[in-house]
Amino acid sequence: MSFDATFQNKRFNSVGTRPLRPDGIDKVTGRARYGADFNMPGQLVARVLRSPHAHARIKGIDTSKAEAVKGVKAIVTAADMPDLTDGDEALFAILDNCMAREKAMYDGHAVAAVAAIDESSAKAALKLIKVDYEVLPHVVDVDAAMMADAPVLNDTIFTQGVEPAPSKPSNVANRSEFGHGDVDAGFAKADIIVERSYKTEQAHQGYIEPHACVASCNADGTADLWVCTQGHFVYRQNCADLLGLEASKLRVTSSEIGGGFGGKTHVWAEPVALALSRKAGRPVKLIMSREEVFRASGPTSATSIDVKIGATKDGKITAAEATLRYTSGPYPDMWAELGAMTAFAPYDLENVKTVGFEVVVNRPKVAAYRAPSAPMAAFAAESAVDELAKEIGMDPVDFRIANVAKEGTRSSYGPVYGPIGIGPTLDAAKAHPHMSAPLGPNQGRGMACGFWFNFGGQTCTDLNISADGTVTIAVGTVDVGGSRASLSLIVAEELGIEYSDVKAVIADTSTLGYNDMTDGSRGTFSTSMATISAARNAIEVMRQRAAIMWDIPLEHIYWEDGHAKAAGSKHGNRAPLSVKDIAAEAGNTGGPIAGHSELVADGAGVSFATHICDIEVDSETGSSRVVRYTVIQDAGKAVHPAYVEGQYQGGAAQGIGWALNEEYIYGDDGRLQNPGFLDYRIPVCSDLPMIDTQILEIPNPNHPYGVRGVGETSIVPPLAAIANAVSNAVGLRMSHIPLSPPRILAALNAAKT
Amino acid sequence: MRYERPQTIEDATALMAGAEANAFVLAGGTDLLVRMQSDAFEADLIVDIKAISGFDAITQTEDGFVIGAAVPSAALSEDAALVAAWPGVVEAANLIGSTQIQGRCTIVGNLCNASPAADSVPALVAADARAQIAGPAGTREVAIADVPTGPGKVSLSKGEIIEAVLLPKPEPRTADAYLRFIPRTEMDIAVVGAAVNLSLGDDGTISAARVALGAVAPKVLLVEEAAEALIGSNLDEAALEALAVACSNASNPIDDKRGTVEYRKEVAGVLARRAAQTAYARAGEN
Ligand SMILES: Cc1cc2nc3c(=O)[nH]c(=O)nc-3n(C[C@H](O)[C@H](O)[C@H](O)COP(=O)(O)OP(=O)(O)OC[C@H]3O[C@@H](n4cnc5c(N)ncnc54)[C@H](O)[C@@H]3O)c2cc1C
């Protein structure tokens, strides 16, 4: 039976309430099991040897001395991980990133790994592995990598997407283009044009829990992996492909997750741990240190972006154009393309053109980070929009409202919008008390908009009703932000039972069908859809059971308010049967009651937000403090409002850190200088004000409750909102993120002279 | 690796003197334990000094204060007489890390770790504090500024352990202040640190001053020209400007992940000004 996902406007009992999350107590008492908390009998400790060079040919690796160290059970290099990728370039990039093959492509690139009976033997062995490197010229800066004389990282990369195809290899892997209309004609109609270049530095997701796993390859060809991940089904597929295992024979169990934000959607250490276990014949535990996390996992792109926007004197944008250059680490990817798609998404533009260049550099392979690529594009676009509003003499909110996209607008990346929330978030910003609050001395106010696509994807859930009428729901999307609470609310809503009678668990890969990972803000959107469908399937079963219990035809039974009821005057006097009543009789009416669902959740509604912030700048030191911050975002329907607010605040907090202080700093030698939280400065609690939130609910027509994903959009506006606020505070346009104190002071000094 | 927890300073210095290689004194451990995590670190002997009698005491004497080498920073702020006498030293020690770190870390550890950015060291130098050192050959006293010799290096000889920091009894109408610049609000390392200690004459003019800077050179700097800029003034704008210029000129920093040369030079002047204003206001109240 196919599932009708269309929005039905109904009144809710459970959805929209704020009960405590089921995983909360274990997390605050330290009982929750994270990636490093799994253990196996006889387990070995793994350590990884990493390249100290930004770019080097590996001429040879001698492991003989290390193998002789007492307690060492296995050493693997690329030779132990044969290339089974069969021409799949994306998969090959994952393999090469897990263990360098011919060349080390960045400082921190894995070149060998050891499994030993304890930490000290593993450490001793690492020191005895001899790698013969031929150091090669390197490049880490995005603009430098595009220069004609830059060292070419990979001579099989010929820029795609350009005509005619280039005859020489370069570091530009791909060119993409989006837009419509005629920008030249549009600029010709403009009274005022703003044109500016921007840069953003590379940031890390900064999850508190480092990557950790236990891998166990068994003698019978099966294998187990316990791991901290955002997507255990995807990890299973990647690991199986790279190691030549059958997917069904590799059972992957996800742990609790101490943050991922996109950084745990990619495998790094897991295939290596499996390869070590296979070679040693024993389980292997691999935990990355914080330094390894920074040097070898995670980061987002560093970017260089040019924006040009023109408008008429009365505030209508006539054309908008952007060129976006994004680093992707050493392997081609599509990060600039995402930036090019999102840059101007909030606006209704007649003429728009964006071009994205994917640039390979000697930095770690870029991973998704919460609305990947959109924050940098929004920083550039929204800075220019703000500057243009100022030049025209219009209020920045009014200027945006005058050009805002609405239902029926053709988006800058192609599709025509359905009902969307950008206009309402701007109206809410205009009306918000924050917008009219007085500013103190040395303070500036900024605002900015942000967009993210959201994603749906493959989802599979099982709902089981116990004999006592309580319910377990098994889902395959890892809970990164309270989804077990939200999904329990959905079950309670559909079945008409109490939230406390529902237990939600994350099933492993052997007990449930495939699920895409928790990314693209899809967790609650897609899994709630499958959960509603599974609950409705279970209700169907319960109707059948009620028919047996009452011995009346199925058509005479309907479901209402958590009960089977008999329709019509003939049966009208029967007391309705509750879930508990029906469950108690299940053994006599056909066995256990369950509802199953598998679907592809289409129609994830796009998501928009508007942020407002006030910043105070100390003009003598360049130091800045966020003094007030407000997030306004469309949630479609907030299933659990407290956890929606948590997503809004979390994204804003990460964006604030990125905007003000977070950056990868490389030395001239191409080595990362700040692989730790001391010098990679994420905000601490006292750096942030309470972040205010306002939830708007513009229903997504493609979800029964109107839900849209909310996890990512909140990180899109902060870079721009903060840059606009700082620019207003100091009276200078700031165009290089992060706006660290030395950068602000240097700009102030430059303006003086 | 051997771990020892001697009860007397004689045993402690004997252990350190007799060690073959890689022996470390352990005070609060907030630097040492972090270093021990690194793959490159190797230790044969750790001598924990927290059980040595008297090491956890702050004693007021006729000459001033004796702060034992195992006194945690948090305890400094709980000693009212010390806070009244040397508010700048206490505020510097209580900028280190966080509440948790301050419950453990010591100013002697801060000094002996010999980071150019150590927060309590400029304040101690400005206060003209001295280190009391015990060793196999007996005890000696040196100026705080003479303990660190460069990043990670100290002038202690084999077997020597600092027993205590000695702070003088301040002259009347004397006060100190310490300020540092960090990009965050806490849990950070000073990009620049500035300490000012000054005394006022009867007419309110500055009669004596000491100005010290951190994180702008391989080790703490005592800036004589900065002190001269203050002495004889009422901290008027000209004096403040001369102070800032002297501090910027004396700074000899490097470009690194925490700040540029130009940035550090400029901010050294800004912080010295602000610290001088605080110290001046405090001295006026004394
Ligand atoms: C999270 C965190 C934040 C921090 N923030 C700051 C900060 O804001 N500002 C700052 O300045 N520092 C900071 N630090 C560094 C550290 O806390 C300080 O340097 C602290 O004062 C060290 O004192 P300790 O007693 O813990 O030293 P320990 O770690 O015990 O010792 C440090 C060094 O001194 C030697 N040593 C200790 N005592 C003696 C002695 N009596 N005689 C001879 N040698 C001795 C040790 O052998 C070792 O080499 C931070 C550290 C951490 C972990």
Side-chain angles (χ1 to χ4, degrees):
Chain A
M1 198 185 68
S2 86
F3 173 66
D4 178 14
T6 327
F7 174 64
Q8 299 138 2
N9 201 359
K10 58 173 264 180
R11 275 196 34 244
F12 294 110
N13 294 316
S14 298
V15 164
T17 62
R18 300 170 176 244
L20 289 181
R21 61 203 295 158
D23 47 313
I25 290 177
D26 278 358
K27 283 180 175 165
V28 297
T29 57
R31 263 173 166 264
R33 294 219 289 174
Y34 290 90
D37 296 324
F38 289 89
N39 290 296
M40 287 276 286
Q43 139 194 314
L44 303 173
V45 177
R47 292 292 302 265
V48 178
L49 184 70
R50 298 183 180 279
S51 166
H53 305 295
H55 194 193
R57 189 171 309 287
I58 301 170
K59 291 171 36 186
I61 303 180
D62 179 358
T63 58
S64 55
K65 282 214 178 90
E67 272 157 27
V69 172
K70 201 163 156 254
V72 170
K73 298 292 176 191
I75 297 179
V76 300
T77 64
D80 299 280
M81 301 180 71
D83 179 4
L84 308 173
T85 60
D86 197 21
D88 179 336
E89 278 177 34
L91 196 61
F92 180 81
I94 297 174
L95 175 69
D96 194 64
N97 190 45
C98 285
M99 192 60 74
R101 305 185 79 78
E102 282 161 20
K103 291 202 290 181
M105 300 302 289
Y106 54 92
D107 165 45
H109 198 165
V111 292
V114 177
I117 54 165
D118 57 22
E119 184 81 27
S120 57
S121 340
K123 249 167 88 165
L126 279 193
K127 288 184 184 161
L128 294 173
I129 298 176
K130 285 269 161 308
V131 185
D132 185 7
Y133 291 108
E134 177 196 339
V135 178
L136 302 170
H138 67 273
V139 61
V140 296
D141 180 76
V142 58
D143 291 321
M146 290 180 77
M147 309 276 258
D149 60 349
V152 172
L153 269 62
N154 179 342
D155 55 22
T156 68
I157 293 179
F158 293 82
T159 313
Q160 299 193 340
V162 289
E163 292 290 340
S167 58
K168 281 202 299 186
S170 75
N171 295 323
V172 181
N174 189 52
R175 177 190 185 279
S176 55
E177 187 179 322
F178 296 88
H180 53 253
D182 177 345
V183 285
D184 292 335
F187 285 123
K189 283 188 222 150
D191 297 315
I192 298 165
I193 292 175
V194 162
E195 195 170 359
R196 198 178 276 281
S197 297
Y198 305 87
K199 269 197 116 143
T200 69
E201 295 301 329
Q202 182 163 320
H204 193 274
Q205 295 83 346
Y207 31 84
I208 297 303
E209 185 193 4
H211 302 269
C213 67
V214 175
S216 178
C217 286
N218 310 316
D220 61 359
T222 65
D224 289 277
L225 181 69
W226 292 265
V227 61
C228 176
T229 172
Q230 288 174 247
H232 42 319
F233 291 91
V234 174
Y235 274 35
R236 176 183 67 172
Q237 196 61 52
N238 282 336
C239 291
D241 288 346
L242 295 180
L243 287 132
L245 297 165
E246 286 170 41
S248 298
K249 294 200 175 146
L250 171 59
R251 181 179 194 166
V252 183
T253 307
S254 63
S255 69
E256 289 291 349
I257 182 165
F261 314 109
K264 289 175 186 164
T265 59
H266 308 246
V267 293
W268 275 285
E270 299 75 12
V272 176
L274 282 162
L276 282 168
S277 173
R278 181 164 65 184
K279 195 162 180 182
R282 281 167 69 168
V284 169
K285 183 173 200 162
L286 197 161
I287 305 172
M288 281 168 79
S289 68
R290 179 62 56 192
E291 183 184 322
E292 290 179 288
V293 168
F294 274 112
R295 285 170 71 205
S297 81
T300 180
S301 305
T303 73
S304 154
I305 304 174
D306 306 329
V307 176
K308 182 177 176 188
I309 313 183
T312 57
K313 276 199 284 268
D314 56 356
K316 188 75 201 151
I317 296 177
T318 58
E321 189 174 3
T323 304
L324 306 99
R325 309 165 198 93
Y326 280 50
T327 62
S328 62
Y331 312 103
D333 219 316
M334 54 175 292
W335 305 113
E337 190 168 338
L338 289 175
M341 290 170 85
T342 56
F344 295 116
Y347 301 107
D348 181 2
L349 301 170
E350 217 179 294
N351 307 297
V352 57
K353 177 178 166 186
T354 58
V355 175
F357 292 103
E358 316 292 344
V359 186
V360 297
V361 292
N362 295 110
R363 294 177 181 237
K365 183 178 191 298
V366 165
Y369 181 14
R370 215 170 187 159
S373 302
M376 308 81 128
F379 159 62
E382 289 291 284
S383 293
V385 165
D386 227 58
E387 195 172 352
L388 190 53
K390 191 167 235 159
E391 298 237 332
I392 291 173
M394 254 175 103
D395 172 81
V397 181
D398 290 337
F399 180 63
R400 285 173 172 87
I401 290 174
N403 292 286
V404 77
K406 9 187 170 344
E407 185 165 0
T409 297
R410 176 152 185 219
S411 67
S412 56
Y413 64 98
V416 173
Y417 289 130
I420 54 172
I422 182 62
T425 65
L426 280 165
D427 294 338
K430 195 171 161 68
H432 199 284
H434 184 170
M435 218 52 197
S436 49
L439 284 169
N442 306 314
Q443 293 183 356
R445 176 166 298 144
M447 53 82 55
C449 300
F451 158 86
W452 187 243
F453 308 95
N454 288 349
F455 178 59
Q458 300 184 62
T459 314
C460 179
T461 65
D462 267 340
L463 185 151
N464 288 291
I465 301 181
S466 309
D468 62 1
T470 60
V471 177
T472 43
I473 170 103
V475 303
T477 40
V478 172
D479 178 355
V480 302
S483 63
R484 275 166 292 186
S486 301
L487 298 171
S488 298
L489 283 171
I490 300 261
V491 171
E493 186 73 51
E494 281 295 321
L495 297 183
I497 60 176
E498 294 296 320
Y499 170 78
S500 56
D501 285 340
V502 186
K503 165 100 178 151
V505 299
I506 313 301
D508 66 61
T509 59
S510 293
T511 50
L512 201 62
Y514 178 85
N515 278 266
D516 283 328
M517 55 199 167
T518 305
D519 69 349
S521 300
R522 67 177 290 276
T524 300
F525 166 73
S526 65
T527 310
S528 69
M529 195 184 277
T531 299
I532 293 168
S533 158
R536 291 181 184 173
N537 290 340
I539 287 171
E540 210 35 49
V541 175
M542 289 191 282
R543 278 181 62 230
Q544 289 160 9
R545 301 307 176 84
I548 294 169
M549 287 166 72
W550 281 334
D551 196 16
I552 65 174
L554 180 61
E555 314 81 80
H556 293 185
I557 297 174
Y558 65 100
W559 190 267
E560 190 181 73
D561 294 337
H563 292 80
K565 295 180 180 175
S569 52
K570 214 165 124 201
H571 314 298
N573 53 357
R574 288 182 191 268
L577 293 172
S578 68
V579 173
K580 281 193 167 54
D581 297 334
I582 299 168
E585 287 301 314
N588 302 321
T589 57
I593 299 170
H596 183 76
S597 168
E598 63 271 306
L599 49 77
V600 175
D602 284 326
V606 296
S607 167
F608 287 97
T610 295
H611 290 195
I612 315 166
C613 79
D614 297 349
I615 304 250
E616 184 170 313
V617 179
D618 178 340
S619 60
E620 289 185 325
T621 63
S623 163
S624 51
R625 294 267 169 272
V626 182
V627 290
R628 186 169 179 183
Y629 202 100
T630 304
V631 176
I632 304 166
Q633 188 177 319
D634 173 21
K637 174 70 204 171
V639 177
H640 190 303
Y643 300 154
V644 170
E645 288 161 4
Q647 292 299 310
Y648 289 7
Q649 291 167 324
Q654 289 187 309
I656 290 168
W658 188 352
L660 291 179
N661 282 308
E662 293 179 37
E663 65 178 306
Y664 268 48
I665 301 169
Y666 282 93
D668 292 338
D669 55 2
R671 299 190 66 178
L672 183 61
Q673 303 208 332
N674 57 338
F677 279 135
L678 186 55
D679 288 301
Y680 180 89
R681 296 190 175 82
I682 66 171
V684 297
C685 275
S686 51
D687 290 332
L688 299 172
M690 183 62 193
I691 295 167
D692 289 329
T693 56
Q694 186 178 347
I695 300 174
L696 303 186
E697 295 187 329
I698 293 112
N700 174 6
N702 307 313
H703 184 283
Y705 295 176
V707 169
R708 295 173 196 265
V710 298
E712 294 171 288
T713 309
S714 52
I715 202 175
V716 183
L719 275 55
I722 285 175
N724 288 339
V726 171
S727 301
N728 289 334
V730 300
L732 291 170
R733 186 43 58 180
M734 300 301 298
S735 56
H736 191 165
I737 293 283
L739 304 173
S740 59
R743 237 171 238 143
I744 292 181
L745 197 64
L748 286 169
N749 287 339
K752 273 185 219 152
T753 54
Chain B
M1 189 191 83
R2 215 166 111 216
Y3 169 84
E4 295 286 350
R5 195 176 164 86
Q7 311 285 313
T8 66
I9 182 67
E10 292 75 20
D11 286 352
T13 51
L15 278 165
M16 290 298 291
E20 279 176 16
N22 293 327
F24 293 88
V25 172
L26 174 72
T30 60
D31 277 315
L32 193 59
L33 264 58
V34 176
R35 278 174 64 199
M36 287 172 78
Q37 305 285 318
S38 117
D39 281 354
F41 186 86
E42 274 163 27
D44 301 313
L45 173 67
I46 300 285
V47 178
D48 186 343
I49 56 169
K50 288 192 286 294
I52 300 175
S53 69
F55 267 41
D56 59 352
I58 304 174
T59 322
Q60 204 171 350
T61 65
E62 259 179 39
D63 301 330
F65 295 86
V66 180
I67 300 171
V71 174
S73 287
L76 302 183
S77 61
E78 286 164 12
D79 188 311
L82 183 67
V83 173
W86 295 108
V89 170
V90 176
E91 76 194 346
N94 285 284
L95 282 174
I96 298 177
S98 60
T99 304
Q100 290 93 325
I101 296 289
Q102 287 150 23
R104 249 358 207 168
C105 72
T106 63
I107 51 175
V108 176
N110 199 217
L111 175 66
C112 295
N113 189 56
S115 157
D119 277 310
S120 68
V121 176
L124 290 171
V125 169
D128 207 5
R130 298 177 72 76
Q132 183 179 312
I133 302 167
T139 48
R140 62 186 180 104
E141 251 184 62
V142 300
I144 291 291
D146 294 335
V147 176
T149 54
K153 295 202 165 58
V154 290
S155 59
L156 302 180
S157 347
K158 185 165 167 115
E160 284 192 324
I161 295 175
I162 296 186
E163 287 183 289
V165 163
L166 312 176
L167 275 166
K169 186 175 168 185
E171 297 296 320
R173 305 195 75 196
T174 293
D176 65 340
Y178 174 76
L179 281 175
R180 67 167 178 186
F181 183 80
I182 54 171
R184 283 190 288 217
T185 44
E186 56 183 335
M187 296 300 278
D188 219 330
I189 296 288
V191 178
V192 178
V196 175
N197 170 28
L198 50 78
S199 305
L200 305 186
D202 294 337
D203 60 352
T205 56
I206 296 170
S207 56
R210 287 172 69 87
V211 178
L213 299 175
V216 291
K219 58 171 276 190
V220 61
L221 290 181
L222 180 69
V223 189
E224 308 278 359
E225 299 77 12
E228 280 157 23
L230 294 178
I231 294 169
S233 83
N234 292 314
L235 208 68
D236 48 287
E237 182 51 37
L240 284 169
E241 187 52 32
L243 165 72
V245 169
C247 287
S248 294
N249 287 343
S251 299
N252 178 25
I254 51 167
D255 270 329
D256 72 359
K257 58 197 172 190
R258 296 182 185 139
T260 57
V261 168
E262 306 79 60
Y263 184 78
R264 285 186 154 123
K265 279 171 123 19
E266 182 168 351
V267 173
V270 172
L271 293 194
R273 254 173 183 272
R274 292 179 182 179
Q277 284 165 324
T278 304
Y280 188 78
R282 282 176 181 163
E285 286 159 17
N286 280 355

